Amino acid sequence: MMTPPLQNLTVSLQKSSMGFSLVECILSVAITVTSLLTVIGMLMGTLGVASDSKQETTTGVLIRQLAGEIKDMTPPAKPEDEPEPLIVLVDETMKILEHSRFNNSNVKESYNTGSQLASAASFARIDRVPDPENTLMDRIVIRVESPASAPAENRQVRKYAALCPK
């Protein structure tokens, strides 16, 4: 009567020492890969938000630098006329490299074709136009475009608008 239980014990010991099955290995790899892809996706989303936040902050700094000039800009006499833009070329720290109001500045030409300056990061174009909905206010339209080395049609554009009394 003793032999059958010993045989069962021997067989169960042999099965437990065989290792993992192929299904278990594939399942564990699938769970690991799914977890890693989820973490990488979350990191990519965080990097995008951080980049947007940096752009928003640097745009705010630029607007504060140019606040006096924005107030002094005159809108076109007629709403259908093209406004005279204020164009600024800035580096990563929002230091102004070129300005459309500087003497001998070719920033308007490089705005269309792309800047050749290695330190240039983005262009800022500021237009003051009459607000069609409110005759007492003008609309300030600020476009921050990057990268500065690319032609105008190939840049990423972030547009901001504000109202300013006439």
Side-chain angles (χ1 to χ4, degrees), residues 5 22 57 68 106 127 138 144 152 154 158 164 166:
L22 180 61
T57 303
N106 65 348
D127 295 301
D138 287 333
V144 179
N154 295 338
R158 296 182 190 271
C164 180
K166 287 188 179 189

Side-chain angles (χ1 to χ4, degrees), residues 28 92 105 117 128:
S28 66
E92 283 289 329
S105 174
L117 294 174
R128 183 171 182 164

Side-chain angles (χ1 to χ4, degrees), residues 13 15 30-31 51 58 61 64 66-67 88 120 137:
L13 285 176
K15 284 185 179 180
I31 291 171
S51 174
T58 54
V61 169
R64 281 193 295 277
L66 300 172
V88 180
M137 304 292 269

Side-chain angles (χ1 to χ4, degrees), residues 91-107:
D91 66 4
E92 283 289 329
T93 63
M94 286 292 127
K95 177 183 172 195
I96 297 173
L97 302 173
E98 289 188 33
H99 193 300
S100 62
R101 299 220 172 129
F102 291 166
N103 290 336
N104 301 325
S105 174
N106 65 348
V107 72

Side-chain angles (χ1 to χ4, degrees), residues 2-159:
M2 290 300 258
T3 43
L6 286 175
Q7 279 182 335
N8 289 342
L9 181 63
T10 307
V11 170
S12 67
L13 285 176
Q14 287 176 349
K15 284 185 179 180
S16 67
S17 65
M18 290 175 54
F20 298 107
S21 69
L22 180 61
V23 173
E24 292 171 328
C25 290
I26 290 174
L27 188 61
S28 66
V29 168
I31 291 171
T32 304
V33 167
T34 303
S35 301
L36 286 175
L37 288 176
T38 303
V39 169
I40 290 171
M42 290 182 348
L43 287 175
M44 296 303 288
T46 303
L47 290 176
V49 169
S51 174
D52 289 345
S53 176
K54 177 185 175 191
Q55 186 72 30
E56 298 279 336
T57 303
T58 54
T59 300
V61 169
L62 180 65
I63 291 169
R64 281 193 295 277
Q65 285 179 349
L66 300 172
E69 292 182 58
I70 291 171
K71 288 180 185 176
D72 293 340
M73 290 176 71
T74 56
K78 299 175 188 171
E80 61 272 0
D81 291 344
E82 182 71 26
E84 179 62 32
L86 176 66
I87 300 175
V88 180
L89 179 64
V90 294
D91 66 4
E92 283 289 329
T93 63
M94 286 292 127
K95 177 183 172 195
I96 297 173
L97 302 173
E98 289 188 33
H99 193 300
S100 62
R101 299 220 172 129
F102 291 166
N103 290 336
N104 301 325
S105 174
N106 65 348
V107 72
K108 288 183 181 180
E109 291 81 25
S110 63
Y111 174 76
N112 294 322
T113 60
S115 175
Q116 301 302 317
L117 294 174
S119 60
S122 57
F123 281 100
R125 177 186 170 132
I126 304 166
D127 295 301
R128 183 171 182 164
V129 294
D131 187 17
E133 299 169 5
N134 188 344
T135 57
L136 300 174
M137 304 292 269
D138 287 333
R139 186 175 299 241
I140 305 294
V141 180
I142 302 155
R143 296 166 45 110
V144 179
E145 305 176 18
S146 59
S149 58
E153 61 272 359
N154 295 338
R155 290 188 208 123
Q156 179 184 11
V157 178
R158 296 182 190 271
K159 207 175 204 180

